[in-house]
């Protein structure tokens, strides 16, 4: 049927529509594909001053390594410069941030959604204010106390700060998911013999999964992609991936470092693709349907 | 054994009064219906019995326990919600079994009791489905089965039929009546539908604006309404109410004159009579007025005419035909009349 409709449209309009889609695809995908391709070249090709065709054909790469593709960037980043350690730190940070924010967020969001008291509204407004603040404001305020307490530079500190930044958002999001679940469900569970907490655990949470997965993904991305907090609060040995990549770029006295950064960027992006592909159904249903209609 | 006793129960939200000073003893095994228009406090009353709403003032007793401070789960009641409140992630079987599971009823009894409950509401064929795959009537039966599976002391039902279509409502209503007869549990049933109240109840409580208007058997409420609110709420069509004055047992107003009424009342009153108590008069009727409309109902014909500024309905034989504007004479026996105080609306007894 859609084909029949496409035939009815004027050719010019069709051309415009498909042209726009192609343009959009190019704008969205090419920078990333370009980076993936370039990460297997040497710096002289990928950042060539002679011609950008060098990045495609790998002229300098063939000259330097004997083949059109090289894994030198990856080897340098992961092995020589300990990117694996940064990746490991990122895993710790994101898992902790996600699980702590989700635990507090589901409990708090449920309480706020069901409370009916006036202050619940003001708590949510306060949360919105903190959500709106740039992350860096929290970090600069924390720096001195963290130095004084001697907890600067370690992972738990930045996990706590990231949770603090993320919590208002998870609270809001889960709160609205809980609102979409009819109150009758809690109430029939409580009459059926549950305590308030059992009703939450046995009846409400099973219905909430799409919401939890969606919120969890956003929390994960915040922890994974954060630069402001981790760059300021972590010492060089404890860096996560994003500040580590930034440090590859920053020290240009060593050759090949830029290529380490490119390789690291690609390494850091691949897990995101896999994650989104894996959870896409839950995310979409979470974003569109709210949760479950009674 | 579970009588439910409400002593001076009130519910207030800040200044808004939801339920005002509710007093009632519900006998063991009684089927009690709380009836009233929306916002009259009937659901709030039931939710206070269930423990889903805090009680501002007063006491609620179930059996010999005061339950004011008890959690819903400790009150040994079960409830059917208007929107069913089924657990969407569980099958029908799991839904019905849920109360047994959370109350730690021994596992070996589960299957037998779930099957017994589902058989009672004729759900046997749907046990493996999820609520989303059921029709409204089937969902309501799952909710019923979930309520009866535990065999609690009392059932609470909050407008259980209002989401069903008319035909299903009649059959589910019969099913509820039969369940009550079989299980012999105290049942409190909330509805705004007076037919449901009349057909199901042992006793009806009519409420309006948080205040109990009348408590009585369906026939008492129908035959001797305590005030004009009850009179106009019960019956279809509603009782005709005409304002006028009464002197020495004679009520008169514009287009209506009835003699032989009790002498106790005098002055400005409201007179009430039901459409089916009036008949066509041969010669001198109590009402003489032009016909406003003629409606054919099939089993009867409904006439309406304007009397003392009000439209009154008269039910006459199914073969009666008349033109709009024709003069009709209507006889109303004095014994079928109800007299209410015009300012308070309260019934004036003969």
């Amino acid at each position: 049927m859609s084909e029949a409709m496409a035939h009815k449209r004027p050719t010019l309009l069709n051309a415009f529509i498909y042209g726009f889609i192609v343009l959009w695809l190019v704008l969205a995908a090419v920078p990333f594909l370009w980076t993936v391709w370039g990460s297997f070249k040497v710096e002289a090709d990928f950042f060539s001053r002679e011609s950008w065709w060098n990045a495609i054909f790998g002229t300098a790469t063939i000259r330097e390594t004997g083949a059109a593709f090289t894994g030198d960037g990856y080897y340098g980043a992961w092995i020589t410069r300990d990117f694996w350690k940064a990746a490991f730190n990122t895993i710790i940070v994101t898992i902790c941030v996600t699980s702590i924010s989700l635990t507090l967020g589901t409990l708090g969001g449920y309480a706020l959604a069901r409370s009916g008291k006036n202050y619940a509204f003001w708590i949510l407004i306060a949360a919105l204010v903190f959500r709106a603040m740039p992350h860096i404001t929290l970090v600069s305020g924390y720096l001195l106390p963290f130095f004084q307490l001697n907890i600067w530079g370690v992972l738990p500190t930045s996990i706590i700060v990231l949770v603090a930044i993320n919590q208002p958002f998870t609270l809001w999001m889960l709160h609205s998911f809980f609102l979409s679940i009819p109150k009758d469900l809690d109430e029939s569970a409580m009459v059926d013999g549950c305590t308030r907490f059992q009703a939450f655990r046995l009846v409400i949470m099973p219905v909430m999964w799409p919401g939890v997965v969606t919120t969890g993904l956003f929390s994960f991305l915040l922890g994974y992609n954060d630069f402001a907090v981790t760059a300021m609060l972590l010492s060089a040995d404890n860096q996560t991936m994003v500040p580590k990549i930034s440090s590859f770029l920053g020290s240009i006295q060593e050759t090949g470092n830029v290529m380490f950064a490119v390789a690291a960027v690609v390494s850091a992006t691949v897990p995101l693709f896999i994650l989104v592909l894996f959870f896409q159904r839950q995310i979409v249903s979470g974003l569109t349907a709210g949760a479950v209609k009674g | 054994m579970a009588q439910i006793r409400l002593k001076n129960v009130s519910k207030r939200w800040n200044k808004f009064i939801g339920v005002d000073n509710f007093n009632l003893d519900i006998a063991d095994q009684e089927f009690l219906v709380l009836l009233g228009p929306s916002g009259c406090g009937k659901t709030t009353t039931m939710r206070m019995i269930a423990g889903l709403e805090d009680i501002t003032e007063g006491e609620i007793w179930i059996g010999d326990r005061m339950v004011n401070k008890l959690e819903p789960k400790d009150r040994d009641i079960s409830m059917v919600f208007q929107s069913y409140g089924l657990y969407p992630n569980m099958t029908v079987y799991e839904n019905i079994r849920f109360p047994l599971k959370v109350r730690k009823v021994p596992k070996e009894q589960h299957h037998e009791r779930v099957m017994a409950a589902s058989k009672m509401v004729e759900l046997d064929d749907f046990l493996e489905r999820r609520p989303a795959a059921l029709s409204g009537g089937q969902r309501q039966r799952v909710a019923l089965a979930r309520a009866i599976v535990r065999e609690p002391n009392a059932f609470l039902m909050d407008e259980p039929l209002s989401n069903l279509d008319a035909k299903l409502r009649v059959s589910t209503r019969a099913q509820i009546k039969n369940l009550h007869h079989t299980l012999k549990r105290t049942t409190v049933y909330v509805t705004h539908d007076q037919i449901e109240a009349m057909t199901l109840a042992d006793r009806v409580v009519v409420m309006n604006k948080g205040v109990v208007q009348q408590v009585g058997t369906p026939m008492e409420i129908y035959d001797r309404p305590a005030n004009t609110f009850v009179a106009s709420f019960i019956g279809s069509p509603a009782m005709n109410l005409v304002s006028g004055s009464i002197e020495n047992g004679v009520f008169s107003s514009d287009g209506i004159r009835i003699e032989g009424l009790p002498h106790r009342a005098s002055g400005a009153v409201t007179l009430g009579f039901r459409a089916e108590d009036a008949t066509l008069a041969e010669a001198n009727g109590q009402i003489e007025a032009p016909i406003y409309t003629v409606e054919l109902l099939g089993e009867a014909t409904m006439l309406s005419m304007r009397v003392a500024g009000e439209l009154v309905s008269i039910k006459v034989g199914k073969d009666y035909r008349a033109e709009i504007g024709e003069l009709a004479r209507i006889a109303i026996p004095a014994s079928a009349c109800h007299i209410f105080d015009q300012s308070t609306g309260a019934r004036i007894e003969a």
Side-chain angles (χ1 to χ4, degrees):
Chain A
M1 204 181 97
S2 64
E3 259 180 44
M5 274 174 62
H7 282 303
K8 269 182 222 156
R9 280 199 298 254
T11 329
L12 202 67
L13 184 64
N14 261 341
F16 177 76
I17 289 169
Y18 289 119
F20 181 80
I21 292 171
V22 168
L23 178 75
W24 186 84
L25 261 177
V26 166
L27 285 176
V30 162
F32 179 70
L33 296 176
W34 178 256
T35 313
V36 173
W37 180 267
S39 68
F40 293 101
K41 308 288 176 193
V42 294
E43 190 181 345
D45 275 338
F46 194 45
F47 292 90
S48 173
R49 290 178 199 183
E50 295 156 28
S51 157
W52 61 273
W53 284 106
N54 286 355
I56 294 187
F57 297 120
T59 325
T61 312
I62 294 169
R63 197 180 332 122
E64 283 179 34
T65 65
F69 296 98
T70 171
D72 283 357
Y74 291 91
Y75 184 84
W78 281 86
I79 312 294
T80 320
R81 295 291 304 273
D82 288 344
F83 192 68
W84 62 270
K85 214 173 149 193
F88 185 65
N89 285 339
T90 297
I91 292 172
I92 294 176
V93 168
T94 45
I95 288 179
C96 290
V97 168
T98 311
S99 49
I100 296 173
S101 332
L102 281 184
T103 310
L104 298 179
T106 44
L107 291 171
Y110 179 66
L112 290 173
R114 291 294 186 258
S115 115
K117 294 273 188 344
N118 272 341
Y119 59 74
F121 171 76
W122 291 109
I123 289 174
L124 284 168
I125 292 296
L128 191 66
V129 171
F130 281 99
R131 171 65 197 160
M133 285 196 317
H135 298 172
I136 202 80
T137 45
L138 277 179
V139 178
S140 47
Y142 280 143
L143 270 179
L144 185 66
F146 284 170
F147 277 127
Q148 296 278 334
L149 294 166
N150 205 17
I151 51 171
W152 180 88
V154 292
L155 292 178
T157 312
S158 40
I159 290 171
I160 291 169
V161 174
L162 282 171
V163 167
I165 288 171
N166 188 33
Q167 199 64 76
F169 168 72
T170 47
L171 212 54
W172 259 98
M173 188 134 170
L174 290 165
H175 166 252
S176 49
F177 274 113
F178 280 121
L179 279 186
S180 69
I181 298 178
K183 226 175 157 183
D184 282 10
L185 274 191
D186 316 47
E187 292 181 341
S188 43
M190 285 183 351
V191 174
D192 279 347
C194 292
T195 59
R196 179 56 95 165
F197 187 72
Q198 276 179 316
F200 170 76
R201 195 167 57 88
L202 300 174
V203 171
I204 303 301
M205 280 316 285
V207 192
M208 264 294 281
W209 278 119
V212 171
V213 168
T214 311
T215 316
L217 189 91
F218 281 109
S219 306
F220 173 88
L221 290 182
L222 181 118
Y224 195 84
N225 292 337
D226 176 80
F227 179 67
V229 174
T230 44
M232 299 282 281
L233 292 185
L234 288 174
S235 61
D237 329 333
N238 283 335
Q239 269 170 340
T240 53
M241 288 200 284
V242 178
K244 186 82 174 178
I245 292 168
S246 154
S247 75
F248 288 158
L249 284 172
S251 55
I252 45 166
Q253 52 277 70
E254 254 179 285
T255 53
N257 274 11
V258 183
M259 290 319 293
F260 291 180
V262 173
V265 163
V266 173
S267 317
T269 321
V270 169
L272 293 183
F273 271 86
I274 296 168
L275 188 83
V276 173
L277 284 179
F278 189 71
F279 280 113
Q280 49 127 339
R281 277 187 60 184
Q282 283 88 337
I283 296 164
V284 171
S285 74
L287 284 179
T288 53
V292 173
K293 291 179 203 90
Chain B
M1 279 294 285
Q3 60 281 64
I4 301 174
R5 174 171 298 166
L6 294 94
K7 282 187 192 164
N8 306 318
V9 173
S10 294
K11 173 72 188 179
R12 285 186 293 271
W13 288 275
N14 297 323
K15 280 185 183 157
F16 180 78
I17 297 170
V19 176
D20 193 28
N21 200 20
F22 194 115
N23 279 292
L24 187 69
D25 278 347
I26 306 169
D28 185 36
Q29 302 186 12
E30 181 172 6
F31 199 118
L32 183 98
V33 173
L34 297 174
L35 175 68
S38 45
C40 73
K42 55 192 191 303
T43 298
T44 309
T45 306
M46 168 174 285
R47 290 170 57 86
M48 286 195 285
I49 299 174
L52 297 170
E53 206 80 68
D54 288 332
I55 302 161
T56 316
E57 235 169 62
E59 294 176 359
I60 292 181
W61 292 70
I62 298 177
D64 46 12
R65 290 186 304 168
M66 185 172 88
V67 297
N68 281 36
K69 299 266 179 258
L70 289 184
E71 291 291 317
K73 70 185 177 73
D74 300 323
R75 298 191 180 195
D76 198 19
I77 37 120
S78 63
M79 186 159 169
V80 177
F81 290 81
Q82 181 177 359
S83 56
Y84 320 129
L86 301 182
Y87 311 127
N89 56 315
M90 301 181 200
T91 61
V92 169
Y93 184 91
E94 288 300 321
N95 262 285
I96 301 175
R97 185 178 159 209
F98 188 77
L100 303 176
K101 223 159 131 185
V102 290
R103 284 178 192 266
K104 308 222 158 51
V105 172
K107 267 217 169 82
E108 53 277 11
Q109 298 179 20
H110 287 193
H111 185 70
E112 196 184 325
R113 288 174 73 169
V114 171
M115 293 318 280
S118 65
K119 199 177 170 83
M120 244 183 255
V121 295
E122 296 153 35
L123 268 175
D124 320 37
D125 298 341
F126 308 102
L127 289 174
E128 291 314 313
R129 291 212 199 162
R130 282 177 201 268
L134 297 179
S135 70
Q138 289 163 345
R139 287 183 203 182
Q140 191 54 276
R141 290 191 337 244
V142 178
L144 278 173
R146 193 177 61 184
I148 60 182
V149 72
R150 215 175 72 224
E151 299 175 12
N153 269 330
F155 296 125
L156 307 179
M157 302 190 187
D158 185 6
E159 309 216 15
L161 306 183
S162 59
N163 287 353
L164 304 181
D165 65 58
K167 205 171 163 193
L168 211 52
R169 207 175 294 172
V170 174
S171 61
T172 314
R173 195 171 74 197
Q175 199 162 32
I176 289 176
K177 179 108 184 170
N178 189 270
L179 276 178
H180 176 251
H181 179 80
T182 318
L183 297 167
K184 301 196 189 329
R185 300 296 148 123
T186 314
T187 303
V188 180
Y189 185 105
V190 162
T191 183
H192 61 261
D193 183 320
Q194 44 120 357
I195 312 250
E196 274 172 38
M198 300 295 280
T199 49
L200 288 170
D202 292 327
R203 274 197 305 164
V204 180
V205 177
V206 185
M207 295 181 72
N208 187 32
K209 294 181 181 159
V211 181
V212 174
Q213 305 291 319
Q214 188 172 5
V215 183
T217 65
M219 283 329 286
E220 278 168 10
I221 292 210
Y222 188 82
D223 288 338
R224 294 166 50 80
N227 53 38
T228 47
F229 174 81
V230 179
S232 60
F233 196 79
I234 306 283
S236 171
M239 183 182 278
N240 297 306
L241 295 171
V242 179
S243 46
S245 62
I246 190 166
E247 220 59 63
N248 298 324
V250 179
F251 174 87
S252 60
S253 187
D254 185 19
I256 180 169
R257 180 182 163 86
I258 301 175
E259 293 172 14
L261 293 167
H263 283 247
R264 268 186 44 198
S266 73
V269 294
T270 304
L271 178 110
F273 63 93
R274 294 202 180 272
E276 63 268 27
D277 289 334
T279 50
L280 289 167
E282 297 296 323
N284 296 334
Q286 274 75 32
I287 294 178
E288 274 195 38
I291 292 171
Y292 185 77
T293 55
V294 181
E295 293 167 307
L296 306 181
L297 302 180
E299 90 279 9
T301 302
M302 195 69 78
L303 287 185
S304 61
M305 42 191 37
R306 205 173 273 286
V307 174
E310 299 286 335
L311 272 183
V312 301
S313 309
I314 313 290
K315 209 173 193 174
V316 294
K318 65 186 223 179
D319 299 322
Y320 180 84
R321 294 288 180 274
E323 292 298 317
I324 291 177
E326 237 173 80
L327 199 72
R329 294 195 180 84
I330 305 297
I332 304 163
S335 59
C337 291
H338 308 260
I339 299 166
F340 304 98
D341 187 296
Q342 203 164 70
S343 50
T344 63
R347 178 185 187 83
I348 300 174
E349 288 295 343

